[in-house]
């Protein structure tokens, strides 16, 4: 038994010697790094940057390295903040290991290194330095993981080398602030969640020697971690559990001359997924926030990502599951072609880490992100109106002229939904028509409709009626419709311009009404008649008549008022002449004369030509004060009384 025990002890000694040699070899194979434009030999080769997939560490390393350079003054303290972590597999296989910190320093560009004593903070993660003299000192941290039972089985994680420059004071003119991650998780119960980030502030000039402090505008969203070793806070911004929003981080440098320089950056806090809004038919992609630098292969354990969908009733289904080798491809989930049924559904991701492929060790579940699907119909309408009875060549697709009773008017509308995936339900098309118009026939997509499929609605206080055609919906099966309406004109008594705007309306699935107007249509109605209205001519009361004198009409009988109001609504007009004659004389020396440009003609029972019009310029007749029909009193003074006569007006076509 004694011999056997001795052999075991010898093996242990040999193992320790081998490990010691290994450490020595690493120490001697160190590489050189640069600090402050000087070549410096590190105490030990810096550990490579960690590989992190979302919140999962695949390798050891530093989540917060020391800055490359620090600038300060004699007697002004600084704290070099750091943070090291191990891979998740190392943590799982060595859960009892704890971190130990050892700082080393050099004043000769790394030619010689010495350990910093515990009394000077050399055993702290966040290293305090209060310089006593000017110059540059280089530092490097060795973070060691081990237990007290296995002090020789250490995991070493070496930081990069940092230089602390102690010099004369320099003021900053500006301050640039950045975050390692602009999004942090609000989940604090999982080791996988990236619920923190580190804030950095870089002054201009870079060698400014002021002190930097950090603050946040919304401490209910995130705050800076306490520096339990040195007092105050670190530059580690930690999210509050369940918080959602954006926090603004402000950095302030207190310059040696008493002035301050300020900069800021924004960091979002949330549950890992953002709500998505897309147009119907378009893909919707949900992406987990966080670094995805990891690879798709891990030999120490397995990682699985699952995606869940929650319908509008909250029922949960699994929509995607990764395997141990392709989990990186599942940080996103895409709904390839959304429908309106997807509106209001929710999506959630879960990462599960298992040791040896079957022992679940930790998991992270994101928030539920809501998918909003917008129904954006885009209906275009082309229209055409045609007078199948009469066209003098002036009609267009949206304007008809000289339309009268018994004309056959047809309407045609082509409706197209240009967003092929959008939906419109309970749709109707409205065609305004002149009241009294007879609707002969309505067709929808080539099919004659029964009276149950459309309605003619009359407005009681207007000359407008509406044809309302129902059952015009849009979906993936029907993206266009054709409407034809055949009518007969009636009820036209006078010239009238009828302007209307047909339109479509339907339910847009979200509960609101979608409406799209067609182009305005104009129908100029006429009664196809010649109408003339002749007003009385009044010479008023003549109190003291004079012989051989012309008496004028009352002012109201002169222009701008017309004596003969003409409305020629004939569709086929001809040249015209207007004549007048006097049925009986006034007597007692009174004569009616027709004056024109200083010349006159006495009115009698014979027709006198008053006006000639060509076919395109027929208009009403009125005169200025000295023209037209006037009263002349000759040598005989009429006796007192009322005098009247009748004029006969004749309107004839002129060749």
């Amino acid at each position: 038994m004694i011999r056997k025990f001795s052999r075991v002890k010898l093996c242990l000694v040999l193992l320790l010697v081998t490990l010691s040699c290994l450490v020595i070899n690493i120490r001697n194979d160190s590489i050189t790094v640069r600090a402050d434009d000087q070549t410096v030999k590190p105490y030990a080769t810096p550990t490579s940057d960690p590989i992190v997939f979302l919140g999962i560490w695949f390798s050891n390393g530093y989540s917060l390295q020391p800055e490359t350079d620090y600038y300060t003054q004699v007697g002004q303290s600084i704290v070099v903040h750091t943070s090291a972590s191990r891979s998740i597999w190392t943590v799982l296989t060595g859960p009892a290991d704890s971190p130990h910190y050892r700082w080393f320093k050099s004043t000769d560009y790394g030619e010689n290194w010495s350990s910093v004593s515990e009394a000077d903070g050399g055993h702290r993660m966040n290293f305090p330095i209060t310089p006593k003299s000017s110059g540059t000192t280089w530092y490097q941290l060795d973070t060691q993981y081990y237990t007290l039972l296995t002090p020789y089985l250490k995991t070493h994680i070496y930081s990069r080398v940092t230089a602390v420059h102690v010099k004369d004071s320099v003021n900053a003119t500006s301050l640039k602030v950045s975050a390692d991650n602009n999004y942090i998780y609000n989940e604090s119960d999982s080791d996988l969640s990236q619920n923190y980030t580190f804030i950095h502030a870089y002054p201009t000039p870079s060698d400014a020697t002021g002190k930097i402090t950090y603050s946040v505008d919304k401490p209910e969203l995130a705050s800076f971690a306490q520096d339990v070793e040195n007092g105050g806070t670190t530059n580690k911004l930690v999210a509050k559990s369940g918080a959602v929003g954006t926090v603004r981080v402000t950095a302030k440098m207190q310059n040696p001359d008493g002035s301050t320089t300020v900069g800021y950056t924004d960091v979002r806090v949330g549950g890992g997924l953002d709500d998505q809004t897309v147009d119907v038919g378009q893909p919707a992609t949900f992406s987990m926030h966080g670094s995805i630098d990891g690879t798709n292969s891990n030999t120490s354990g397995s990682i699985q990502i699952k995606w869940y969908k929650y319908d509008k009733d909250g029922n949960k289904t699994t929509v995607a599951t990764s395997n141990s080798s392709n989990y990186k491809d599942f940080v996103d989930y895409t709904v390839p072609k959304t429908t309106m049924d997807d509106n209001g559904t929710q999506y959630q991701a879960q990462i599960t880490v298992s040791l040896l492929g079957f022992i679940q060790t930790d998991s992270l579940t994101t928030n539920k992100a809501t998918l909003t699907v917008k129904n954006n119909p885009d209906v275009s309408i082309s229209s055409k109106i045609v007078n199948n009875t009469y066209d003098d060549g002036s009609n267009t697709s949206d304007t008809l002229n000289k339309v009268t009773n018994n004309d056959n008017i047809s309407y045609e509308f082509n409706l197209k939904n240009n967003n092929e995936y959008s939906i419109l339900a309970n749709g109707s098309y409205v065609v305004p028509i002149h009241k009294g118009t007879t609707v002969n026939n309505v067709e929808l997509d080539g099919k004659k409709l029964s009276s149950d499929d459309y309605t003619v609605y009359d407005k009681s206080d207007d000359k407008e009626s509406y044809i309302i055609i129902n059952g015009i919906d849009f979906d993936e099966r029907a993206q266009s419709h054709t409407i034809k309406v055949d009518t007969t004109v009636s009820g036209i008594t006078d010239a009238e311009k009828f302007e209307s705007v047909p339109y479509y309306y339907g339910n847009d699935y979200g509960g609101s009404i979608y409406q799209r107007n067609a182009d305005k249509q104009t129908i100029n109605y006429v009664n196809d008649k010649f109408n003339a209205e002749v007003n009385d001519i009044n010479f008023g009361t003549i109190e003291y008549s004079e012989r051989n004198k012309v008496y004028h009409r009352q002012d109201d009988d002169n222009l701008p008022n017309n004596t003969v109001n003409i409305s020629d609504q004939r569709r086929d007009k001809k040249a015209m002449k207007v004549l007048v004659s006097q049925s009986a004389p006034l007597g007692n020396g009174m004569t009616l004369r027709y004056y024109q440009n200083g010349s006159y003609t006495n009115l009698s029972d014979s027709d006198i030509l008053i006006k000639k019009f060509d076919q395109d310029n027929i208009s009403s007749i009125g005169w200025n004060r000295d023209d037209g029909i006037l009263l002349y009193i000759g040598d005989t003074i009429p006796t007192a009384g009322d005098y009247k006569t009748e004029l006969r007006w004749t309107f004839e076509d002129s060749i």
Side-chain angles (χ1 to χ4, degrees):
M1 294 294 295
I2 295 177
R3 292 180 180 177
K4 187 174 183 180
F5 176 81
S6 299
R7 289 178 182 175
V8 172
K9 183 176 180 181
L10 179 61
C11 291
L12 288 174
V13 171
L14 291 176
L15 176 61
L16 294 177
V17 171
T18 302
L19 290 174
S20 300
C21 293
L22 179 62
V23 173
I24 294 172
N25 288 337
I26 294 176
R27 176 73 176 85
N28 291 335
D29 291 340
S30 60
I31 63 173
T32 59
V33 297
R34 298 184 65 84
D36 195 29
D37 295 329
Q38 297 289 338
T39 301
V40 179
K41 295 180 180 179
Y43 170 77
T45 302
T47 302
S48 300
D49 289 338
I51 299 175
V52 181
F53 175 81
L54 298 176
I56 306 171
W57 284 57
F58 289 157
S59 62
N60 302 334
Y62 284 85
S63 56
L64 177 63
Q65 288 272 14
E67 300 290 353
T68 304
D69 297 278
Y70 294 86
Y71 297 91
T72 187
Q73 303 166 231
V74 172
Q76 178 175 285
S77 299
I78 63 169
V79 177
V80 179
H81 292 115
T82 67
S83 181
S85 293
R86 295 179 297 161
S87 74
I88 189 170
W89 317 119
T90 305
V91 172
L92 295 176
T93 55
D97 292 348
S98 60
H100 303 266
Y101 305 98
R102 298 294 182 267
W103 284 92
F104 297 88
K105 68 178 181 179
S106 173
T107 57
D108 55 3
Y109 301 99
E111 291 297 329
N112 296 283
W113 289 88
S114 61
S115 61
V116 180
S117 68
E118 183 176 2
D120 290 334
H123 293 184
R124 300 181 187 181
M125 177 178 71
N126 298 307
F127 179 38
I129 302 172
T130 304
K132 298 179 181 180
S133 60
S134 299
T136 299
T137 303
W138 291 269
Y139 296 91
Q140 187 175 19
L141 172 62
D142 175 14
T143 301
Q144 306 169 1
Y145 283 88
Y146 61 90
T147 68
L148 295 178
L149 298 178
T150 58
Y152 298 103
L153 298 176
K154 297 179 179 179
T155 297
H156 293 269
I157 306 176
Y158 293 102
S159 75
R160 67 188 178 192
V161 175
T162 182
V164 177
H165 309 277
V166 184
K167 53 178 295 182
D168 293 337
S169 62
V170 176
N171 296 314
T173 58
S174 64
L175 199 62
K176 181 180 179 181
V177 183
S178 63
D180 288 343
N181 294 290
N182 292 319
Y183 188 101
I184 53 178
Y185 280 66
N186 58 16
E187 171 63 60
S188 60
D189 294 334
S190 173
D191 293 334
L192 306 182
S193 64
Q194 295 177 308
N195 68 333
Y196 65 88
T197 188
F198 293 100
I199 305 298
H200 306 272
Y202 301 103
T204 299
S206 60
D207 62 345
T209 57
K211 295 195 68 172
I212 296 175
T213 57
Y214 297 100
S215 62
V216 295
D217 64 338
K218 298 175 183 177
E220 68 275 14
L221 297 181
S223 62
F224 285 97
Q226 295 296 313
D227 188 346
V228 296
E229 298 173 313
N230 305 291
T233 60
T234 68
N235 62 333
K236 182 179 182 180
L237 182 69
V238 183
K240 300 292 185 179
S241 180
V244 177
T246 299
V247 60
R248 172 155 291 185
V249 179
T250 300
K252 181 171 68 174
M253 174 171 274
Q254 186 72 42
N255 287 319
D257 66 357
S259 64
T260 58
T261 303
V262 176
Y264 66 87
T265 190
D266 292 335
V267 176
R268 290 180 58 204
V269 181
L273 294 179
D274 294 331
D275 294 340
Q276 298 297 317
T277 299
V278 298
D279 289 338
V280 62
Q282 298 303 309
T285 298
F286 294 88
S287 300
M288 298 178 66
H289 284 282
S291 170
I292 56 173
D293 293 335
T295 63
N296 277 337
S297 61
N298 286 281
T299 58
S300 302
S302 66
I303 297 172
Q304 183 184 71
I305 297 179
K306 281 189 176 183
W307 284 89
Y308 303 106
K309 175 182 177 180
Y310 296 83
D311 64 20
K312 298 174 185 178
D313 296 326
N315 299 314
K316 176 181 177 182
T317 56
T318 302
V319 292
T321 303
S322 73
N323 56 44
S324 59
S325 62
N326 69 351
Y327 59 88
K328 185 179 178 182
D329 302 325
F330 283 72
V331 294
D332 303 326
Y333 176 74
T334 298
V335 181
K337 181 180 178 182
T338 56
T339 68
M340 291 312 301
D341 290 335
D342 293 318
N343 184 50
T345 57
Q346 293 183 310
Y347 295 82
Q348 185 179 51
Q350 183 182 58
I351 304 176
T352 301
V353 176
S354 300
L355 182 62
L356 303 177
F358 61 90
I359 304 174
Q360 179 174 333
T361 58
D362 206 349
S363 65
L364 169 67
T365 303
T366 69
N367 62 300
K368 296 177 182 176
T370 300
L371 173 58
T372 299
V373 181
K374 295 188 299 181
N375 187 33
N376 287 326
D378 179 20
V379 176
S380 59
I381 304 174
S382 62
S383 59
K384 180 174 66 175
I385 51 175
V386 177
N387 188 340
N388 299 302
T389 303
Y390 177 85
D391 187 352
D392 66 354
S394 65
N395 292 342
T396 65
S397 61
D398 55 18
T399 301
L400 300 181
N401 296 310
K402 301 177 183 179
V403 177
T404 193
N405 293 312
N406 299 317
D407 281 358
N408 177 239
I409 307 298
S410 61
Y411 302 77
E412 183 173 331
F413 305 95
N414 293 299
L415 287 69
K416 181 181 180 181
N417 186 9
N418 298 302
N419 186 349
E420 60 178 321
Y421 301 112
S422 63
I423 295 174
L424 286 167
N426 303 319
S428 298
Y429 196 75
V430 179
V431 183
I433 57 175
H434 194 282
K435 184 176 288 186
T437 299
T438 300
V439 179
N440 303 321
N441 183 43
V442 177
E443 290 184 7
L444 175 60
D445 298 331
K447 178 182 178 181
K448 182 177 180 180
L449 300 181
S450 67
S451 58
D452 294 335
D453 296 321
Y454 68 90
T455 304
V456 179
Y457 169 72
D458 294 330
K459 292 182 67 175
S460 59
D461 58 347
D462 204 339
K463 292 184 177 181
E464 195 171 46
S465 297
Y466 301 101
I467 307 172
I468 304 173
I469 306 163
N470 303 316
I472 306 175
D473 298 340
F474 291 97
D475 52 31
E476 291 186 357
R477 296 168 298 176
Q479 291 297 319
S480 62
H481 296 284
T482 299
I483 300 170
K484 294 182 179 180
V485 178
D486 184 81
T487 66
T488 300
V489 177
S490 62
I492 304 303
T493 59
D494 203 352
E496 180 182 350
K497 174 183 276 191
F498 183 82
E499 294 181 325
S500 64
V501 179
Y503 62 93
Y504 170 85
Y505 69 90
N507 190 318
D508 71 351
Y509 194 92
S512 58
I513 298 299
Y514 172 88
Q515 180 173 323
R516 178 56 55 91
N517 294 343
D519 292 336
K520 181 175 69 175
Q521 296 180 332
T522 302
I523 300 179
N524 294 305
Y525 290 104
V526 295
N527 59 17
D528 200 23
K529 297 178 181 179
F530 179 87
N531 302 296
E533 179 183 357
V534 181
N535 297 318
D536 292 340
I537 300 175
N538 188 357
F539 294 95
T541 300
I542 302 175
E543 296 183 358
Y544 302 101
S545 60
E546 299 180 13
R547 294 182 178 89
N548 302 315
K549 181 178 178 181
V550 175
Y551 289 87
H552 294 85
R553 300 176 301 273
Q554 295 290 290
D555 289 342
D556 288 345
D557 293 337
N558 298 326
L559 289 174
N561 298 322
N562 295 315
T563 299
V564 182
N565 292 306
I566 296 175
S567 174
D568 187 3
Q569 299 181 35
R570 296 173 300 170
R571 294 204 288 206
D572 297 314
K573 295 181 179 181
K574 298 178 181 178
M576 175 174 285
K577 58 184 178 180
V578 180
L579 304 100
V580 68
S581 64
Q582 184 177 340
S583 61
L586 287 172
N588 292 322
M590 292 184 292
T591 304
L592 292 178
R593 293 177 174 179
Y594 176 66
Y595 280 84
Q596 187 174 20
N597 298 324
S599 300
Y600 69 87
T601 302
N602 290 329
L603 268 64
S604 64
D605 58 359
S606 298
D607 289 331
I608 296 175
L609 179 65
I610 297 295
K611 193 79 172 179
K612 291 183 70 175
F613 300 102
D614 61 38
Q615 64 183 23
D616 297 322
N617 294 290
I618 299 174
S619 60
S620 297
I621 300 173
W623 302 291
N624 294 317
R625 182 175 183 272
D626 296 326
D627 289 329
I629 297 175
L630 302 177
L631 174 62
Y632 175 77
I633 296 179
D635 292 333
T636 302
I637 301 298
T639 59
D642 292 332
Y643 296 91
K644 297 181 180 180
T645 188
E646 185 178 87
L647 300 179
R648 293 190 300 270
W649 295 84
T650 303
F651 304 86
E652 295 180 351
D653 291 339
S654 175
I655 301 176

